[in-house]
Amino acid sequence: MTRSDKKNIVILASGSGSNAQRLMEYFEHHAHIRVAALFSNNPKAYALKRAETFHVPALLFSRDEFYHSDKVVQQIQEFKPDLIVLAGFLWLVPLNLLQAFPNRIINIHPALLPQYGGKGMHGLHVHTAVVQAGDQESGITIHHVNEEYDKGAFILQERCPVLPTDTPEDLAARILKLEHKHLPRIVEKLVMEQS
Ligand code: GAR
């Protein structure tokens, strides 16, 4: 496979972008897959800087462009994505984007859905709720994306313990490790399985 034959991943990220970085590392020298671009809704997202470091095109969009035009869909289409990965992306995905890439958008969520999902349930909010509930385990869910927050079909769940002494930050760190371990291989599997 030459570079132009490679399968393309497009990442959407709103924040730090450590999962995005893991993907960019994992696929940097991959024979068949590359991270073609990273899109963000947040000009302050550290994910944009991480993309620059990996020489991955980083594109910013506004709420208006995302929800009231086809501009973002068209921009993403230019990168011919085989898979779109929401890696810490916090906005609901609009219908035009879902329809342009049916079954090709996945999300990673830092809890065992269907618990601790939905609007506002992201990052430390999730871990705070889990710790406050006194749960003894948490985990990650990688799932397809549909028109509702965190409601698409599951692809993978992995579990980890919640210790009685855990702060939300402790749990966040344990969950991130789990995400970094599993997200790249699941993305690789999904992309390679596509015809
Ligand atoms: C990750 O833990 C991801 O699962 C979570 O945000 C974090 C982003 O970290 N996503 C959600 O909560 C989505 N509802 P990162 O920017 O370092 O990859």
Side-chain angles (χ1 to χ4, degrees):
M1 250 184 204
T2 65
R3 184 173 164 78
S4 58
D5 291 331
K6 282 189 183 180
K7 306 258 195 183
N8 294 307
I9 298 163
V10 165
I11 301 173
L12 269 61
S14 301
S16 163
S18 71
N19 278 289
Q21 170 149 346
R22 273 297 293 137
L23 292 171
M24 292 186 284
E25 281 165 4
Y26 190 87
F27 293 111
E28 192 175 13
H29 303 294
H30 196 283
H32 306 303
I33 301 172
R34 67 178 151 148
V35 177
L38 181 145
F39 283 71
S40 184
N41 60 312
N42 176 7
K44 293 185 182 148
Y46 190 61
L48 291 163
K49 294 237 169 13
R50 298 192 199 251
E52 265 174 43
T53 308
F54 281 83
H55 306 290
V56 166
L59 292 91
L60 192 62
F61 57 83
S62 67
R63 181 171 283 277
D64 206 42
E65 287 166 344
F66 198 52
Y67 289 112
H68 302 297
S69 83
D70 287 326
K71 183 175 173 187
V72 179
V73 172
Q74 285 162 6
Q75 283 182 321
I76 293 176
Q77 259 159 349
E78 283 171 24
F79 293 99
K80 299 188 176 14
D82 296 282
L83 195 69
I84 298 173
V85 182
L86 311 190
F89 182 67
L90 302 186
W91 287 1
L92 192 64
V93 174
L95 214 53
N96 61 345
L97 190 52
L98 290 170
Q99 286 171 347
F101 303 102
N103 267 319
R104 295 204 170 192
I105 311 179
I106 67 167
N107 179 45
I108 183 155
H109 187 79
L112 296 170
L113 293 174
Q115 282 191 293
Y116 305 108
K119 191 171 166 53
M121 269 298 176
H122 56 81
L124 219 50
H125 296 287
V126 174
H127 307 306
T128 302
V130 171
V131 166
Q132 281 177 356
D135 290 0
Q136 291 182 0
E137 68 171 7
S138 187
I140 65 169
T141 306
I142 298 173
H143 64 94
H144 290 284
V145 171
N146 66 13
E147 63 285 350
E148 289 182 87
Y149 278 112
D150 305 321
K151 285 282 174 69
F154 295 172
I155 299 163
L156 174 90
Q157 288 198 306
E158 287 288 330
R159 289 159 195 276
C160 67
V162 181
L163 306 180
T165 52
D166 271 350
T167 62
E169 288 78 8
D170 295 332
L171 182 57
R174 192 172 307 121
I175 295 275
L176 260 188
K177 263 194 195 162
L178 207 56
E179 295 186 324
H180 295 170
K181 178 175 175 197
H182 292 288
L183 185 62
R185 71 171 185 88
I186 291 297
V187 167
E188 181 178 43
K189 182 166 174 277
L190 289 173
V191 172
M192 294 314 291
E193 277 170 5
Q194 285 174 11
S195 50

